[in-house]
Amino acid sequence: QSKLTVHKENNSTKPNTPSHIVADPEICHGALTFKGKRILVSGVLEQITSGMSWDSIIESWRGKINQEAISEAIGIVIKSNK
């Protein structure tokens, strides 16, 4: 099984560096979260797999995440499963 490493935000502009998702041991025990939020990526992915529309997911988080952030989360999962 693939392991995914997302580095703590370092304000770099390196290609392929997630801009919406971070893993910081000081926030939510290092789980993947959306940058600047305490919204777990895993929670949003569960909403997707349960069949919620992206608009409904965004609304459920009161606009604290957007479609670009959701897309990035899905992209990370796809890359980690290759």
Side-chain angles (χ1 to χ4, degrees):
Q1 188 175 38
S2 300
K3 288 190 177 182
L4 172 67
T5 303
V6 178
H7 299 282
K8 185 175 175 180
E9 178 188 2
N10 59 8
N11 295 322
S12 71
T13 55
K14 293 178 185 176
N16 300 323
T17 301
S19 61
H20 294 281
I21 296 172
V22 295
D24 183 339
E26 301 294 319
I27 300 171
C28 298
H29 306 286
L32 293 177
T33 59
F34 291 93
K35 182 178 172 181
K37 319 288 185 262
R38 290 184 181 265
I39 300 172
L40 294 173
V41 169
S42 61
V44 172
L45 293 173
E46 285 177 18
Q47 290 177 303
I48 292 167
T49 59
S50 75
M52 284 182 74
S53 71
W54 287 23
D55 289 336
S56 295
I57 293 168
I58 293 165
E59 186 178 312
S60 76
W61 293 106
R62 297 186 174 112
K64 292 179 182 175
I65 60 171
N66 58 32
Q67 289 190 356
E68 187 176 314
I70 294 171
S71 179
E72 187 173 297
I74 293 169
I76 286 174
V77 169
I78 291 168
K79 287 179 185 176
S80 72
N81 287 320
K82 284 188 175 181

